[in-house]
């Protein structure tokens, strides 16, 4: 008696083929390379290998993925109403869409693991602290002035509250950016955007190791004459408690280059290329400017970064964009 395999089981080889096609990309292998380097460094210094569930932000990304599974399910359900499509077919389409999305954003999960773990090894690889050099570079760029001290005259609780919100808005695009470009741009452009973002992040990590520093918040704390007070009356981030504890526990802040500037520049660059001439999506491009301009200012106002950090962020962003184009071309010609 011939046993008939369920349709879903018979399609597993095609799913595995899809997985291989989307995983075996230069960006994916580059992410694994950096992950392998981190593991070797941990073993060399006798540090424990951290589990993924201990990484800050990993739960948020996982919940984000679950949200997209539900989103894709309802997306396919709505578009299948007029076709009398069965539930099994809808689930199959949802599975394929979710799989493609997950495999393409998998390097984000790898980067997040490396980013949170690299704090533990930065000071072991490079024990230097280069704030003095960055301060001198800033003073040369600003004709002898320090940006954190120049901006003190603008400090007020309302502006500090706005800047605090602007600074964390950086993470918003890690959630809306991938799903937007996956649904709208798709294909090559999607891989190009996410590849540039991931490469910019990894280049930033190399900068953190090459130029460890604590930033103006701690390096110039004795020069400040005003605290950053929130509208509630609380101090935004006192150099005497939370920030100092962070540095004491993790070794250093990660200031150079500024990924808040570099990564958002990449998002803005591709929005400019793809959206600025679109009848409706141009407003999403304008939204980038609305979010990013105060975000860039907040990195200086809140004393997280030097001006030279933003220049460094621009450099790694341009390198990330260039390398992403190069790697995509390699994939297409191979």
């Amino acid at each position: 008696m011939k046993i008939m395999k369920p349709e879903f089981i018979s399609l597993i080889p095609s799913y595995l083929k899809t997985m291989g096609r989307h995983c075996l990309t230069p960006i994916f292998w580059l992410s694994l390379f950096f992950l392998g380097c981190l593991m070797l460094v941990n073993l060399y210094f006798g540090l424990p290998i951290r589990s993924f569930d201990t990484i800050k932000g990993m739960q948020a990304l996982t919940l984000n993925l679950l949200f997209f599974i539900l989103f894709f399910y309802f997306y396919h359900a709505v578009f299948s109403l007029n076709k009398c499509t069965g539930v099994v077919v809808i689930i199959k389409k949802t599975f394929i869409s979710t799989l493609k999305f997950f495999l393409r954003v998998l390097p984000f999960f790898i980067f997040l693991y490396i980013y949170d773990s690299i704090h533990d090894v930065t000071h072991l690889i490079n024990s230097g602290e280069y704030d003095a050099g960055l301060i001198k570079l800033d003073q040369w760029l600003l004709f002898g002035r320090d940006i954190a001290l120049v901006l003190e005259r603008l400090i007020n609780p309302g502006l500090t509250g706005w800047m605090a919100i602007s600074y964390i808005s950086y993470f918003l695009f890690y959630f809306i950016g991938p799903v937007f470009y996956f649904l709208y741009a798709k294909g090559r452009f999607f891989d190009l955007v996410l590849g540039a973002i991931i490469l910019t992040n990894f280049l930033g990590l190399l900068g953190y190791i090459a130029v460890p520093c604590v930033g103006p918040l701690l390096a110039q704390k004795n020069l400040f004459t005003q605290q950053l007070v929130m509208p509630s009356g609380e101090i935004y981030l006192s150099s005497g408690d939370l920030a100092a504890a962070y540095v004491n526990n993790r070794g250093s802040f990660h200031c150079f280059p500024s990924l808040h500037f570099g990564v958002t520049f990449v998002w803005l660059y591709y929005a400019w290329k793809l959206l600025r001439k679109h009848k409706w999506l141009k407003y999403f491009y304008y939204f980038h400017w609305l979010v990013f301009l105060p975000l860039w200012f907040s990195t200086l106002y809140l004393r997280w970064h030097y001006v030279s950090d933003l220049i460094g962020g621009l450099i790694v962003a341009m390198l990330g964009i260039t390398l992403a184009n190069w790697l995509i071309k390699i994939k297409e010609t191979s």
Side-chain angles (χ1 to χ4, degrees):
M1 180 178 178
K2 187 177 180 180
I3 300 176
M4 299 296 292
K5 292 189 295 183
E7 181 185 2
F8 185 79
I9 300 297
S10 65
L11 289 173
I12 287 180
S14 66
Y15 295 154
L16 294 177
K17 185 178 179 180
T18 299
M19 181 181 295
R21 185 170 68 252
H22 289 287
C23 266
L24 301 179
T25 63
I27 304 298
F28 175 78
W29 289 115
L30 190 63
S31 301
L32 286 185
F33 170 76
F34 279 108
L35 181 61
C37 290
L38 174 66
M39 298 300 178
L40 290 175
V41 170
N42 282 341
L43 291 174
Y44 179 81
F45 289 107
L47 299 175
I49 304 298
R50 303 177 65 188
S51 61
F52 272 84
D53 60 342
T54 64
I55 302 301
K56 296 176 182 178
M58 193 63 71
Q59 292 181 348
L61 270 180
T62 304
L63 291 174
N64 196 41
L65 180 63
L66 293 176
F67 166 78
F68 289 132
I69 292 174
L70 293 175
F71 173 83
F72 288 130
Y73 175 81
F74 286 111
Y75 173 82
H76 288 298
V78 169
F79 280 89
S80 302
L81 287 177
N82 296 329
K83 300 178 182 179
C84 299
T85 305
V87 174
V88 174
V89 176
I90 295 175
I91 292 175
K92 182 179 72 175
K93 290 182 178 180
T94 303
F95 175 79
I96 294 173
S97 295
T98 307
L99 178 64
K100 289 180 178 179
F101 180 80
F102 173 72
L103 293 176
R104 280 173 156 168
V105 300
L106 185 59
F108 273 121
F109 287 83
I110 298 175
F111 164 76
L112 186 61
Y113 180 87
I114 297 173
Y115 177 82
D116 200 63
S117 302
I118 207 164
H119 295 74
D120 302 326
V121 301
T122 298
H123 64 289
L124 298 175
I125 299 174
N126 186 353
S127 60
E129 189 174 297
Y130 297 93
D131 286 271
L134 293 173
I135 290 171
K136 288 181 179 179
L137 178 57
D138 263 28
Q139 290 174 343
W140 179 78
L141 292 169
L142 300 174
F143 306 101
R145 297 180 177 86
D146 295 292
I147 188 64
L149 301 180
V150 170
L151 295 178
E152 275 199 317
R153 68 189 67 178
L154 302 178
I155 290 177
N156 66 77
L159 182 58
T160 301
W162 180 22
M163 291 298 98
I165 294 173
S166 294
Y167 191 78
I168 63 174
S169 67
Y170 164 77
F171 301 101
L172 174 67
F173 276 80
Y174 277 102
F175 292 95
I176 65 175
V179 70
F180 171 80
Y181 285 105
F182 182 78
L183 294 175
Y184 177 70
K186 300 183 179 180
R188 184 183 189 277
F189 200 88
F190 176 83
D191 291 336
L192 191 61
V193 175
L194 260 62
I197 293 292
I198 292 166
L199 286 169
T200 299
N201 276 303
F202 279 125
L203 289 169
L205 295 186
L206 294 178
Y208 292 165
I209 295 173
V211 191
C213 52
V214 298
L217 184 67
L218 292 181
Q220 297 180 302
K221 62 181 180 180
N222 295 328
L223 302 178
F224 299 142
T225 60
Q226 294 191 58
Q227 292 278 19
L228 295 168
V229 180
M230 299 285 285
S232 63
E234 298 179 357
I235 296 175
Y236 166 66
L237 196 63
S238 170
S239 59
D241 46 61
L242 182 58
Y246 181 91
V247 172
N248 291 333
N249 291 332
R250 307 305 293 269
S252 66
F253 275 141
H254 287 157
C255 296
F256 184 90
S258 169
L259 288 179
H260 271 67
F261 186 89
V263 171
T264 52
F265 179 86
V266 175
W267 288 122
L268 181 63
Y269 170 77
Y270 285 112
W272 173 79
K273 287 197 67 175
L274 183 67
L275 308 178
R276 75 183 192 279
K277 294 183 179 180
H278 193 280
K279 182 178 180 181
W280 299 112
L281 292 179
K282 64 182 179 181
Y283 296 107
F284 186 48
Y285 165 64
Y286 299 152
F287 176 72
H288 283 66
W289 282 107
L290 187 65
V291 174
F292 292 161
L293 285 177
L295 188 157
W296 295 339
F297 182 71
S298 73
T299 63
L300 304 173
Y301 177 90
L302 297 175
R303 301 165 176 170
W304 287 110
H305 288 289
Y306 304 103
V307 172
S308 50
D309 296 339
L310 274 62
I311 296 174
L314 177 62
I315 292 172
V316 296
M318 296 176 69
L319 286 173
I321 292 169
T322 303
L323 288 173
N325 275 287
W326 180 64
L327 290 174
I328 291 296
K329 288 180 180 178
I330 288 179
K331 178 187 174 184
E332 292 174 342
T333 56
S334 61

